[in-house]
Amino acid sequence: MKTFDIGPITVGGTTPFFLIAGPCQLESLDHSRMMAEKLLEACAATQTPLIFKASYDKANRSSLGSTRGLGIEEGLSILSKIGTEFGVPTLTDVHLPDHCAPAAAAVDVLQIPAFLCRQTDLLLAAGETGAAINVKKGQFLAPWDMENVASKIASTGNTRLMLCDRGTSFGYNTLVSDFRGLPIMARTGYPVVFDATHSVQQPGGQGATSGGQREFAPVLARAAVAVGVSGLFIESHEDPDSAPSDGPNMIPITEMAPLIARLAALDALTKSAMAEEG
């Protein structure tokens, strides 16, 4: 498996899992500071590496009336400050090719949303920045189809790439996680991430907004760690039920420390076995 660095974090191989975590949507600089501080505290006991995540624009909302975020200028300014003040790598979504270069100047990782994972112009623009890229598998794609997605980005010469599973469409307003997909995607040679919170999303499940079953996110996270992943993606909030987007999926920040501790213990067992197997 390919390995590469994102700031101080080594991604890939049998290194301990890293955590991509933060609120779904940027709310303010003060809120981001509070979340970054609490997440770093939650990761401290196990020394779990953190990539702080938040989106400046949620362009794929369920309805026109859903909040989208702070916009690219203010959002990237906040993320740049968080990265500098807390010394953590940062990640945000990009939706348009011309957003990739300015985003890459402000954050460490560009994320390709699942619905856009086959948008060739977006993938190429992201790859050309040289930034690390986390590309989510479309809910409509088979895991082996991600090899074509990865090849598009790699054609730019950028192989600092992670493939992320976030569930697969299973009937209306429902997703299911097929854990066979994680080792299948790993056959590409790229590190694999599992998105535990979006995998319990119920897209459009509340009519004008998406629903979710956050109580199952820790269950799926434990399963993914047992299979063997390089990283986990877990959105969190201090008051998920009042969050501007994806609240039903997010883990309360007060529950993150014990969850991370349990995941770290399971990950150590898994990575030890992987190392022995070669």
Side-chain angles (χ1 to χ4, degrees), residues 263-274:
L263 293 171
L266 290 170
D267 181 70
L269 290 173
T270 301
K271 297 293 171 57
S272 176
M274 291 171 65

Side-chain angles (χ1 to χ4, degrees), residues 33-43 238 253 256:
R33 282 172 170 153
M34 179 273 291
M35 288 298 302
E37 183 176 3
K38 289 185 179 297
L39 285 167
L40 284 167
E41 290 174 357
C43 291
E238 81 282 4
I253 189 64
M256 288 295 286

Side-chain angles (χ1 to χ4, degrees), residues 246-259:
D246 277 351
N249 315 325
M250 289 196 282
I251 303 296
I253 189 64
T254 54
E255 298 177 13
M256 288 295 286
L259 174 59

Side-chain angles (χ1 to χ4, degrees), residues 148-199:
N148 292 326
V149 175
S151 294
K152 290 181 182 182
I153 297 172
S155 73
T156 68
N158 184 353
T159 58
R160 302 179 67 229
L161 171 62
M162 300 172 285
L163 305 180
C164 182
D165 194 302
R166 54 138 304 157
T168 301
S169 295
F170 186 73
Y172 297 130
N173 307 123
T174 305
L175 300 172
V176 66
S177 293
D178 179 359
F179 289 99
R180 296 174 300 177
L182 301 178
I184 290 172
M185 289 198 299
R187 292 173 190 166
T188 63
Y190 295 104
V192 171
V193 177
F194 181 74
D195 179 347
T197 44
H198 284 98
S199 291

Side-chain angles (χ1 to χ4, degrees), residues 17-269:
F17 86 93
F18 61 91
L19 178 66
I20 300 172
C24 178
Q25 188 178 125
L26 281 166
E27 298 179 35
S28 69
L29 177 57
D30 286 344
H31 183 261
S32 297
R33 282 172 170 153
M34 179 273 291
M35 288 298 302
E37 183 176 3
K38 289 185 179 297
L39 285 167
L40 284 167
E41 290 174 357
C43 291
T46 55
Q47 297 184 318
T48 298
L50 174 68
I51 298 175
F52 181 80
K53 174 272 159 192
S55 300
Y56 60 80
D57 181 18
K58 302 300 294 184
N60 56 352
R61 299 294 83 196
S62 295
S63 66
L64 184 61
S66 298
T67 58
R68 289 184 53 168
L70 300 177
I72 187 169
E73 185 174 345
E74 183 178 1
L76 291 180
S77 174
I78 289 173
L79 288 166
S80 179
K81 289 175 181 175
I82 294 298
T84 299
E85 291 179 18
F86 291 91
V88 295
T90 53
L91 174 152
T92 196
D93 298 293
V94 289
H95 295 86
L96 297 169
D98 60 1
H99 285 191
C100 293
V107 303
D108 301 276
V109 186
L110 303 183
Q111 182 163 276
I112 307 297
F115 286 133
L116 301 179
C117 70
R118 289 181 53 168
Q119 295 295 103
T120 301
D121 290 344
L122 178 61
L123 296 174
L124 296 179
E128 287 165 358
T129 67
I133 299 170
N134 185 42
V135 56
K136 292 194 174 184
K137 183 184 78 65
Q139 301 93 322
F140 46 87
L141 284 186
W144 46 86
D145 292 331
M146 289 299 285
E147 185 168 1
N148 292 326
V149 175
S151 294
K152 290 181 182 182
I153 297 172
S155 73
T156 68
N158 184 353
T159 58
R160 302 179 67 229
L161 171 62
M162 300 172 285
L163 305 180
C164 182
D165 194 302
R166 54 138 304 157
T168 301
S169 295
F170 186 73
Y172 297 130
N173 307 123
T174 305
L175 300 172
V176 66
S177 293
D178 179 359
F179 289 99
R180 296 174 300 177
L182 301 178
I184 290 172
M185 289 198 299
R187 292 173 190 166
T188 63
Y190 295 104
V192 171
V193 177
F194 181 74
D195 179 347
T197 44
H198 284 98
S199 291
V200 299
Q201 186 185 65
Q202 295 171 319
Q206 296 181 355
T209 60
S210 291
Q213 296 174 300
R214 74 169 68 99
E215 67 270 23
F216 293 119
V219 177
L220 298 186
R222 294 196 300 269
V225 167
V227 172
V229 290
S230 294
L232 287 171
F233 180 111
I234 301 176
E235 288 187 336
S236 182
H237 196 275
E238 81 282 4
D239 184 12
D241 291 334
S242 299
S245 63
D246 277 351
N249 315 325
M250 289 196 282
I251 303 296
I253 189 64
T254 54
E255 298 177 13
M256 288 295 286
L259 174 59
I260 292 168
R262 187 171 185 182
L263 293 171
L266 290 170
D267 181 70
L269 290 173

